[in-house]
Amino acid sequence: RDELRRAWVSFEVQGIASAARWDGLAAFVRIQSTRTLKQVTSVEDRCFICSRRVSAIEALDAVRGHWSIENELHWVLDVAFRDDDCRVRAGNAAANFSAVRQLALSLLKQRTEAKSGIKNRRLRAGWSEEFLLKTIGVSAETPSI
């Protein structure tokens, strides 16, 4: 895949009629992505608003960084927790399960002494009560309830 991204930034926000709707508006950003995959080229334009003056390089980095975080989190949740396969739908259960998964992911990421991926750390926490207790920050000497 071949990809080219270009950015344009405009600080001319005063002449835009709807600019007053966005408090603190400082810039408009346009990102153009040109992708070529297997000799097929596509062009995509995306527009953003900013609350501070940014350079074109900063805008490109911010947009790419945002989606990188989103994609990495989703990928880990799907691979390690099979998030996409969850069929919990009743009431607040889906939101509750999502919050618990994200908490578990955060705790597992903190276990850096375990030289394995998140999926394997999760499995290890299921197999080893000692590893599980260390992961959730409970001392093994703490009496259970």
Side-chain angles (χ1 to χ4, degrees):
R1 175 169 90 169
D2 204 18
E3 186 164 354
L4 171 68
R5 288 192 185 101
R6 298 187 296 177
W8 293 267
V9 179
S10 173
F11 305 115
E12 302 294 324
V13 298
Q14 299 81 11
I16 306 298
S18 60
R21 294 189 317 181
W22 298 297
D23 189 33
L25 179 64
F28 291 105
V29 176
R30 174 181 166 210
I31 305 284
Q32 183 180 70
S33 300
T34 305
R35 292 181 194 92
T36 303
L37 179 63
K38 295 182 181 178
Q39 300 169 343
V40 175
T41 300
S42 64
V43 179
E44 178 185 33
D45 284 307
R46 294 172 287 160
C47 296
F48 302 90
I49 58 174
C50 292
S51 58
R52 67 180 187 92
R53 295 172 72 92
V54 295
S55 69
I57 298 290
E58 290 173 317
L60 283 168
D61 289 345
V63 169
R64 187 169 174 97
H66 170 77
W67 288 111
S68 172
I69 291 168
E70 291 287 326
N71 291 335
E72 288 172 18
L73 175 64
H74 176 75
W75 184 84
V76 170
L77 287 171
D78 191 32
V79 170
F81 293 90
R82 298 180 51 108
D83 199 31
D84 288 348
D85 293 338
C86 181
R87 297 294 171 237
V88 175
R89 302 279 187 266
N92 294 327
N96 292 341
F97 267 72
S98 177
V100 169
R101 278 190 212 99
Q102 290 180 31
L103 174 63
L105 176 60
S106 176
L107 292 170
L108 290 168
K109 280 185 173 183
Q110 293 175 32
R111 293 301 307 269
T112 57
E113 80 283 355
K115 302 287 186 208
S116 59
I118 297 296
K119 186 173 185 176
N120 287 334
R121 290 181 206 172
R122 179 176 175 237
L123 290 171
R124 186 172 170 195
W127 294 329
S128 167
E129 187 173 336
E130 179 183 348
F131 186 82
L132 172 64
L133 292 173
K134 283 183 182 177
T135 300
I136 61 175
V138 175
S139 171
E141 293 82 39
T142 305
S144 59
I145 298 175

